[in-house]
Amino acid sequence: MRPACAEPSYSSAGSRTRCSSSCVSNGGTRTTETIRLAESEPLDLDATLGCGQAFRWRRDGGRWEGVVDGRCIRLSQRGGLLHYSGSDEPFVRHYLALDLDLDRLLAAIDRDPVIEAAIDRSRGLRVLRQPLFECLLSFLCATNTNIPAVQSRVEAIAGVWGEPAVGDENVRAFPSSTALRHATEDDFRACRLGYRAPYARSAVTAICSDPSWEGELSAVPHDEARARLMALPGIGPKAADCILLYALGHLDAFPIDVWIRRILARHYLPDLDTGTLSPSRYEAARSFGRDRFGAHAGYAQVYLFNARDLLCRD
DNA sequence: GATTGACCTCG
DNA sequence: GAGGTCAAT
């Protein structure tokens, strides 16, 4: 059994969502509400939405706009005030994991000067609780590429198959696996997935062929979920670990990307510096991370990644 | 098991 | 070259 991360316990405010939807159709007079963050609820919204864990957030001045679970959401932060529109407080709190005792968590992973520097760099950064299927397809699109390209692919997929988002008809929700059931390889190529198009096609087929696939993935233990993810074409260990961390609530997942590899090589595992990252070397790096940082190693990974310039410069 | 090369697309 | 993965040695 997992702690409740994947399954919503927040879906209570349908009526308010509808209201904000009707408010915005006349050009943006949607209501903005405010969450007053407690001392014990540190949040760095810019780091959280800008660190590359999710691909549908854009910063517009001091304000972030994104689409989550079919809703167009706007967020901005001034100190201890978190302003939001397009959603309701329980959803925002859940998505941003504000219920998590971050100070305690960071104290638990703060085990050496390197991670300490990374924590000092972006205290308040939180791991989002993302919708599973969108996260899965996003990281399938994210191999051997850069963030702007991933964003463009994800936007394109939403543009073709997504329903209009609640709160802004001009924006599209990310489609469900079912909505993509008939998407062809060429369709995905048209969304600039390139050689990933057949992977996306097959992954969607596999997921659709078993209606309980997504639900079971959320219920199954870490290792089992990882194996099921990696059974999908185009999902290797790195993408699987990202999905485990960002969508399935396995906070001990520790994805090894090129930056984490550099950081580990420089500060922890000199042997990791050279050569190709074979599956067994990947596993070694991953278990090092989990051993060193413990049950919340994924948070350590995100903080290290976000301090990559600091930790990798000469 | 480890290593190598190919691969769409974009800034 | 980029926040990898796959198939073939």
Side-chain angles (χ1 to χ4, degrees), chain A residues 1-7 132 212-222 225 228 247-250:
Chain A
M1 280 308 211
R2 296 288 316 158
C5 295
E7 286 316 307
L132 172 58
S212 56
W213 192 89
E214 292 182 53
E216 281 185 12
L217 199 69
S218 308
V220 126
H222 182 137
R228 293 190 190 197
L248 292 172
H250 294 289

Side-chain angles (χ1 to χ4, degrees), chain A residues 4 21 45-48 52 84 90 110 127 142 148 157 168 235 310-311:
Chain A
S21 153
L45 188 69
D46 288 341
T48 299
Y84 67 94
D110 186 0
V127 171
I157 291 171
D168 187 342
I235 303 292
L310 190 68
L311 298 177

Side-chain angles (χ1 to χ4, degrees), chain A residues 3-68:
Chain A
C5 295
E7 286 316 307
S9 55
Y10 46 75
S11 48
S12 55
S15 62
R16 203 197 299 176
T17 303
R18 265 194 296 284
C19 162
S20 113
S21 153
S22 65
C23 290
V24 83
S25 56
N26 65 15
T29 54
R30 59 160 76 195
T31 56
T32 297
E33 304 192 62
T34 299
I35 294 173
R36 199 172 294 276
L37 297 165
E39 285 292 325
S40 58
E41 296 174 321
L43 171 69
D44 182 336
L45 188 69
D46 288 341
T48 299
L49 300 180
C51 73
Q53 61 178 317
F55 298 101
R56 291 206 75 190
W57 288 98
R58 302 286 182 278
R59 200 205 322 239
D60 170 18
R63 191 179 66 174
W64 290 90
E65 181 170 321
V67 191
V68 187

